[in-house]
Amino acid sequence: MARTLADGQTAEVYVVDVRTGVSRLVFSSRDVLVEAPNWSPDGKWLVVNGDGKLFRLSVEGGELEEIPLGGVPEINNDHVIGPDGETVYVSAEDGHLYGVTDGAARRVSNERGVGFRYYLHGVSPDGSTLAYIGMDAERRTNVWTIPSSGGDDVAVTDDAFADDGAEFGPDGEWIYFNSERASANAQLFRIRGEVLEQLTHDERVNWFPHPAPDGSAIAYVSFPPGTVGHPADVEDVRVRLLVDGEIREVATVFGGQGTMNVASWSPDSRFFAYVAYPVG
């Protein structure tokens, strides 16, 4: 079931200018809880989910415009836009992945046994491959890929460590993700074949790495130490940039889940978007 706003709570969508560090409010609502901004390849639109549906929003602000999903079941906050801008890929609450083009939907994912669920996070730069988190019946989460046209799933990781947020880097070779494989606090990693690199090493709980299209930085969400998972409505959630191994603070928000679950960068790497959920 889609999340809803609490009494007195607001969903606020911000666009950050990376050069200046200034966050600009482009949308605010006390009616619909919007989540997880994507940026369209033409640089004109943000795509967000809310109430189990998908919407687009001008980067200059305005009203939400619903995107027809062709009968796809209610969706969650895992969605990406293909590099051609024509197809949007979504994760639905039935546990499957769908591609939607001009309002026509097709299922991409496979039947992988009772209890297996797909959570979409990335599409390769050439649009040929989706990166997702597969959760099995024992609730183990691993990084997987699948052709965007449908086909065989490929396991990138296969272990008992909690993984999430699998997203392709701009070269299409590395996959970035967060994992508890180094400690109980989730940290950021990237993987290419058998090569695994840890990117953050601090005491906070770091989730959802989003590499800029030009490779200049990684945007991510950082929870307070001791946070379990990636919950909603948390104080002191940090929106951060990782630039040449150094952490830059962008914003501190009340939020977490929904703030920046999926790729949020503008195509020119100058801006990215996030959501805050203040109360009162």
Side-chain angles (χ1 to χ4, degrees):
M1 180 179 294
R3 292 172 56 208
T4 57
L5 293 166
D7 290 342
Q9 188 171 32
T10 306
E12 299 178 340
V13 181
Y14 290 89
V15 167
V16 182
D17 186 326
V18 175
R19 296 178 187 175
T20 66
V22 174
S23 295
R24 176 173 57 90
L25 179 66
V26 297
F27 178 77
S28 177
S29 176
R30 289 196 171 183
D31 298 317
V32 58
L33 191 155
V34 297
E35 301 178 289
N38 299 131
W39 208 297
S40 66
D42 63 7
K44 297 179 180 179
W45 300 94
L46 299 175
V47 171
V48 296
N49 65 281
D51 288 343
K53 304 172 184 178
L54 200 65
F55 302 91
R56 72 176 189 170
L57 169 71
S58 170
V59 299
E60 300 304 324
E63 300 299 319
L64 298 176
E65 300 179 20
E66 186 172 350
I67 298 173
L69 293 180
V72 170
E74 183 174 292
I75 66 169
N76 55 38
N77 56 22
D78 300 323
H79 42 79
V80 297
I81 304 172
D84 62 2
E86 300 296 321
T87 301
V88 60
Y89 299 94
V90 299
S91 295
E93 292 294 356
D94 64 355
H96 284 287
L97 307 182
Y98 296 85
V100 182
T101 308
D102 293 330
R106 57 182 173 81
R107 201 180 85 179
V108 176
S109 50
N110 300 306
E111 295 290 349
R112 295 193 54 82
V114 176
F116 190 92
R117 299 181 66 85
Y118 289 74
Y119 293 98
L120 178 64
H121 284 276
V123 59
S124 61
D126 65 2
S128 67
T129 308
L130 303 178
Y132 72 91
I133 296 296
M135 185 172 71
D136 63 22
E138 286 73 43
R139 302 188 66 82
R140 295 191 319 155
T141 53
N142 278 287
V143 178
W144 294 76
T145 64
I146 189 172
S148 58
S149 58
D152 293 336
D153 303 278
V154 176
V156 178
T157 67
D158 184 13
D159 50 57
F161 300 114
D163 300 331
D164 209 340
E167 188 171 316
F168 283 97
D171 61 5
E173 297 183 6
W174 291 97
I175 293 179
Y176 293 72
F177 66 109
N178 58 270
S179 177
E180 295 177 1
R181 63 190 57 238
S183 68
N185 288 349
Q187 298 295 323
L188 307 186
F189 292 82
R190 66 176 187 171
I191 190 169
R192 181 180 64 185
E194 300 297 320
V195 180
L196 178 71
E197 295 182 0
Q198 186 171 346
L199 304 175
T200 58
H201 302 79
D202 58 288
E203 75 284 356
R204 293 182 64 87
V205 179
N206 300 316
W207 281 72
F208 301 136
H210 307 306
D214 65 0
S216 60
I218 299 169
Y220 66 101
V221 178
S222 184
F223 291 85
T227 303
V228 177
H230 58 294
D233 298 339
V234 177
E235 295 278 3
D236 189 29
V237 168
R238 312 276 180 88
V239 177
R240 287 177 159 180
L241 286 175
L242 187 65
V243 182
D244 295 329
E246 295 186 0
I247 295 171
R248 297 183 184 176
E249 303 286 357
V250 174
T252 300
V253 302
F254 184 74
Q257 174 71 293
T259 291
M260 202 167 59
N261 291 55
V262 291
S264 301
W265 285 93
S266 64
D268 62 3
S269 300
R270 180 174 175 181
F271 305 95
F272 69 90
Y274 67 89
V275 189
Y277 302 98
V279 177

